[in-house]
Every structure is written in structure tokens, then in C-alpha cells.
Amino acid sequence: MNILLINGSPRKDGCTKECLLYLKKEFKISENACCQIIDIPNNIQHCTNCRVCKDKQVPCVKDAFIKMMAEQIQKADGIVIGCSVYYYGITSQLQAFLTRLCYSCPHILEHKLCSFFSVSRRSGNTDCFNQVMKIFQMHNAIMVGGNYVNEIYGDNPNEIYYDKEGLQSLRFIVNNL
């Protein structure tokens, strides 16, 4: 099984990345899956609705990262997106990525196994979960849940290991995928 793990956090070595590394290890142990972690670049730009992608029916022509990700997603059996909570929402990087990807490739997530988790110091996880799940639903993805809202708490990477319920939720993602 080929799993794509996407880091939607601007902190490339923060809590979200630690969760993705944890997931990668769990996938290897329980499923012997091939996992790749990809960080969304901090300099990704928002969609300007230039419509070149629509006219040419190709992934976003203004961003090579989107084209590369479209190719990776097409090859993947499953996708897990992790994101830190920023002001009760997903990060601007993840929003720009999902908008550009799904606008230029509207069928890219169709029938694709997709899951999401969010990381926060205190709150806002449910808002992020709803935001991404609506995108999955709009694009006919197969939403893979955990045992609750997939959320984990921590302010630095080591703190996620104190959230036993959050780690259990990540393990449920592995089992359900």
C-alpha cells in the first residue's frame, strides 16, 4: 500500500511532523506500507483564478509543486493530511494547496482514501477537521475516520506522546486505511 503523508504545517519540524513520523512508523509496523512525507512549502501562493488550468485541463501551471503533488496523489492508495491549528482553522499553506490542487484537478481525490488530523496546543481542532472533511466530501473522496475527531494536543513535538487518546486516534487512522 502506498500512503502519502502531507504536512500542512509551516513548522517543518514541529508537532505535526512528529505525528506524521509516528504514523509512518505505525504504517510500517502494522501494514508494511510504503509511506512518503511531503511538506507543503511555506511560499505556496493562493489561487488567483487565472483559469489556465481549466482551459488546458492540466494541474496548476503556475506552481510546479502542485503538478508534482498531483502526480504523487494519483499514485497513492491513501492520503493522510496533518495540520496545525492556526486561529481555529487550517494553515494558509494548506488552504492554498487544497484550493489550487482541487480547483485545477477537480477529480484528483475522487474515490481516494483520505484522512485528516489536526494538532493544537489547546483548541480549534474540530473547526479544522470540518474544514478539510468538507473539501474531501466536495471532491468525492472516501473519508477515513479514526475513533473520534482526529486531533492531538501538544505545543512541542515531544508533548504529543503525552496525549494517549490522540495517539490512539492516529493508530485508528492506520488501521482504518
Side-chain angles (χ1 to χ4, degrees):
M1 185 171 218
N2 183 16
I3 306 295
L4 189 59
L5 304 170
I6 300 172
N7 183 5
S9 173
R11 300 172 104 195
K12 300 310 174 204
D13 293 315
C15 294
T16 305
K17 182 67 159 267
E18 190 66 27
C19 289
L20 291 168
L21 291 168
Y22 179 84
L23 277 169
K24 185 175 182 177
K25 185 181 89 181
E26 289 295 315
F27 272 115
K28 291 271 187 207
I29 292 169
S30 58
E31 300 297 327
N32 199 22
C34 177
C35 296
Q36 179 182 9
I37 298 174
I38 297 180
D39 299 321
I40 296 173
N42 286 340
N43 64 348
I44 191 167
Q45 298 295 308
H46 64 278
C47 178
T48 61
N49 196 20
C50 69
R51 302 187 65 77
V52 174
C53 62
K54 293 292 181 200
D55 295 340
K56 294 185 178 184
Q57 296 185 350
V58 295
C60 182
V61 297
K62 293 189 173 190
D63 193 330
F65 178 74
I66 298 296
K67 183 179 181 198
M68 182 273 297
M69 286 301 292
E71 292 168 3
Q72 293 294 325
I73 288 170
Q74 286 174 336
K75 289 188 257 178
D77 298 310
I79 301 161
V80 180
I81 299 173
C83 185
S84 47
V85 175
Y86 275 59
Y87 290 94
Y88 290 90
I90 61 175
T91 63
S92 59
Q93 293 88 347
L94 182 56
Q95 182 66 54
F97 167 71
L98 289 172
T99 301
R100 288 186 104 150
L101 176 74
C102 294
Y103 185 76
S104 65
C105 306
H107 301 287
I108 191 96
L109 298 178
E110 197 167 285
H111 305 127
K112 191 70 70 173
L113 296 170
C114 295
S115 191
F116 173 78
F117 70 89
S118 60
V119 183
S120 73
R121 186 176 67 83
R122 283 205 164 149
S123 61
N125 297 69
T126 306
D127 298 306
C128 289
F129 186 80
N130 289 337
Q131 212 174 346
V132 176
M133 287 299 149
K134 287 174 185 171
I135 292 168
F136 288 167
Q137 186 177 20
M138 285 171 45
H139 293 279
N140 206 20
I142 300 168
M143 296 180 280
V144 178
N147 62 335
Y148 191 59
V149 174
N150 299 330
E151 58 189 20
I152 193 160
Y153 295 94
D155 195 31
N156 66 61
N158 293 332
E159 288 180 9
I160 68 156
Y161 294 101
Y162 295 113
D163 183 0
K164 301 301 180 194
E165 198 172 345
L167 292 174
Q168 181 185 36
S169 186
L170 294 180
R171 288 191 299 274
F172 267 93
I173 290 173
V174 172
N175 293 334
N176 291 341
L177 271 174

